[in-house]
Structure formats: C-alpha cells, structure tokens
Amino acid sequence: MPQPVSQPIYPSNMTDADLGFSKLMDVLIADLVYFGIGTYDQTSIDTLYATQGSVKTELTTNFDLLGELAEKPGKTDSKLSKLKTRNYTIPGKRTSTVELNISGLSTKQKNFLESTLFMSKDTTIVVVSKELDRVVIFTGLRWTVDWSGEADGLFNVVISTEFSGVTSNKIYLLKDIPAGV
C-alpha cells in the first residue's frame, strides 16, 4: 500500500523557508583565499562569522592570506555512489571533492604549499568576498597542490581535497553577513 503524501520533515535547525529562492548561495562568489591550521565546529563558526567585523578579526588573527581566486575560481562536487541489489538501488558512500584555483603565487608560496607543513595538516580554507559579506569555509581538510608556471615568475596553483561522508561538518556557506562590529 502506498504511503500518503505529507510535508517533509527537516532537521531541528532548518525550516521550509530555508529552501526559498532568496536563501540560495552563489557558489564561490568570493575573492580572497585565507588558510589556517585546525578545524572549526558549528558553534565557533556561528560566533566568529556573525558579523563582517568578527570575520575581519578572525581572518587577521588566525589566518594568513593565501591569494586571490583565479578567473575560473574552482569547483566542488559531491557524489553518492550507488549499491545495487537484485531488486533495489541503495545509497552507498558519499565522496566530495573541492578544487580552488589561485593566481599569482610566488615561488616561496608555491614551495610552502608543497611542503608537509601545509599538506600534512588539517587545514581550514576560508574563501571570502572583499566586502566580507559572503564566506565559504572548508574546515579540517587535508589539501594537495598542483601548479603551473607563467613567464612572469608567478604560479597558478590548484589546491584540492577529497573526503568521504557528509559535508555538513566540512563545508559551510554563509551569505548576507551583517556589517556589525
């Protein structure tokens, strides 16, 4: 017997209004890339990214500027593998990848990104608009580096990561951050 149709049930921190068109996030609509070593939790993000002033304080206190996003800033992808039985297809493991393209890095910056001081640490990357009103946070991930050189001596670098499982504690999208202090 089919189940009757009813309203969806959302997690306790979400309502149907969260799916409205005005709540949609412009993906990677940002300019600058910062990095810091370590991992955030939801409570820290709620506090440290509550206003544009607190965003600026957090970035200047605990992060270093990595660079500026390139013309094609990057991509994120999250796919769910499917396990097939004889009668059903059921969800399997979720794998997510993130790539960020950064322009104009020096040889020293490129060499640091290739080192174990960067690639072997749980690192948080914050991509932020110059107005500090939009932020994408990739927290507690290990990143790898690919690069290409230009004749002007600056490098174009692609930093990327891949992880399994849900994205809810790894990727945070914030927009319309108020100007407050």
Side-chain angles (χ1 to χ4, degrees):
M1 174 179 279
Q3 181 179 355
V5 175
S6 63
Q7 290 266 330
I9 298 173
Y10 297 104
S12 61
N13 62 346
M14 184 177 173
T15 68
D16 61 341
D18 292 326
L19 298 176
F21 186 75
S22 64
K23 300 285 186 177
L24 295 178
M25 177 70 182
D26 304 14
V27 177
L28 293 178
I29 189 82
D31 300 303
L32 301 174
V33 180
Y34 291 84
F35 76 101
I37 305 303
T39 303
Y40 281 131
D41 61 16
Q42 181 68 55
T43 304
S44 298
I45 289 174
D46 292 343
T47 304
L48 299 170
Y49 293 87
T51 66
Q52 292 171 24
S54 63
V55 170
K56 184 175 183 178
T57 300
E58 176 63 5
L59 293 177
T60 56
T61 304
N62 294 316
F63 287 81
D64 282 334
L65 180 63
L66 184 56
E68 191 168 318
L69 286 177
E71 187 176 324
K72 292 185 179 180
K75 65 181 180 177
T76 59
D77 190 277
S78 186
K79 293 183 179 178
L80 189 64
S81 62
K82 296 177 183 146
L83 305 173
K84 294 184 179 183
T85 69
R86 196 164 61 172
N87 297 319
Y88 300 99
T89 300
I90 57 176
K93 179 178 82 168
R94 176 169 296 281
T95 303
S96 301
T97 58
V98 178
E99 288 183 1
L100 298 174
N101 299 314
I102 305 167
S103 297
L105 272 65
S106 70
T107 301
K108 282 186 178 181
Q109 289 171 306
K110 175 198 67 76
N111 290 345
F112 170 74
L113 293 176
E114 287 181 319
S115 76
T116 57
L117 292 172
F118 179 78
M119 290 198 305
S120 68
K121 307 274 188 199
D122 288 345
T123 303
T124 294
I125 302 285
V126 177
V127 183
V128 62
S129 65
K130 289 183 179 170
E131 298 80 21
L132 303 176
D133 65 338
R134 294 177 182 205
V135 175
V136 180
I137 301 168
F138 304 98
T139 187
L141 300 169
R142 295 207 177 183
W143 298 82
T144 58
V145 178
D146 296 314
W147 59 269
S148 62
E150 297 292 329
D152 60 7
L154 298 176
F155 294 91
N156 292 320
V157 173
V158 176
I159 60 172
S160 58
T161 188
E162 181 175 299
F163 60 94
S164 295
V166 298
T167 60
S168 60
N169 61 347
K170 300 286 185 195
I171 301 173
Y172 296 88
L173 307 171
L174 309 173
K175 78 173 209 172
D176 300 328
I177 298 172
V181 178

